[in-house]
Structure formats: structure tokens, C-alpha cells
């Protein structure tokens, strides 16, 4: 499991999460950031600083944003 960035980040991209991630797991996509599930250490630093409350632990992603779990994984499959 890892943290997932969801819909409030789309087109917002404040980047506070990138700055606090201790393992550089957060990467910029076309319209939002994504968290690499293979690198994320579940420290929650990103969740605490997100100004739009877009970051959730994978098991806690709201029902209406469940698609972002797969979108996040696809981003890293496509960019590896």
C-alpha cells in the first residue's frame, strides 16, 4: 500500500508534497502529481502538507476518487 493523490490535485499542483517527500516518490504528471507506490514509505508527510487535501492512504481514498488508485499505478507503468 502507498499514498495516492486524487482529484483535488488536478490542475492545482501546489508541490508542497514534492518538497517534503523524504524518498522522492512524488513525480509531476501532465495535470497532477503522482506517488510511486514502489518508493513510497508511507510516512504521511505529503498528506499533512497538501493544501487541497488530495492525498490519502490507498485504503482511505474516497469512493468517488477510487479511479485515481489505478491512474497512479498506470502513470508509473507508462513512465518506467
Amino acid at each position: 500500500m502507498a499514498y495516492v493523490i486524487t482529484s483535488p490535485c488536478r490542475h492545482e499542483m501546489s508541490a508542497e508534497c514534492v518538497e517534503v517527500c523524504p524518498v522522492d516518490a512524488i513525480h509531476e504528471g501532465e495535470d497532477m502529481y503522482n506517488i510511486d507506490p514502489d518508493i513510497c514509505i508511507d510516512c504521511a508527510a505529503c498528506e499533512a502538507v497538501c493544501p487541497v487535501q488530495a492525498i490519502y492512504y490507498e485504503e482511505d481514498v474516497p469512493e468517488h476518487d477510487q479511479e485515481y488508485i489505478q491512474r497512479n499505478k498506470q502513470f508509473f507503468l507508462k513512465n518506467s
Side-chain angles (χ1 to χ4, degrees), residues 19-30:
E19 297 169 13
V20 300
C21 182
V23 293
D24 296 323
I26 303 173
H27 300 268
E28 186 174 349
E30 185 176 314

Side-chain angles (χ1 to χ4, degrees), residues 14-49:
S14 293
E16 285 92 334
C17 57
V18 176
E19 297 169 13
V20 300
C21 182
V23 293
D24 296 323
I26 303 173
H27 300 268
E28 186 174 349
E30 185 176 314
D31 61 355
M32 64 183 292
Y33 287 99
N34 297 277
I35 300 174
D36 188 331
D38 294 330
I39 297 175
C40 180
I41 58 171
D42 300 332
C43 70
C46 58
E47 181 184 33
V49 300

Side-chain angles (χ1 to χ4, degrees), residues 3-76:
Y3 278 82
V4 176
I5 299 176
T6 61
S7 63
C9 182
R10 293 195 70 196
H11 308 293
E12 172 66 32
M13 300 178 68
S14 293
E16 285 92 334
C17 57
V18 176
E19 297 169 13
V20 300
C21 182
V23 293
D24 296 323
I26 303 173
H27 300 268
E28 186 174 349
E30 185 176 314
D31 61 355
M32 64 183 292
Y33 287 99
N34 297 277
I35 300 174
D36 188 331
D38 294 330
I39 297 175
C40 180
I41 58 171
D42 300 332
C43 70
C46 58
E47 181 184 33
V49 300
C50 181
V52 294
Q53 300 175 336
I55 303 174
Y56 295 89
Y57 189 65
E58 186 172 341
E59 291 180 347
D60 298 329
V61 172
E63 189 68 37
H64 66 274
D65 275 341
Q66 288 288 307
E67 70 183 87
Y68 286 89
I69 297 170
Q70 189 60 35
R71 286 179 62 149
N72 185 72
K73 291 175 184 175
Q74 287 297 114
F75 175 83
F76 290 100

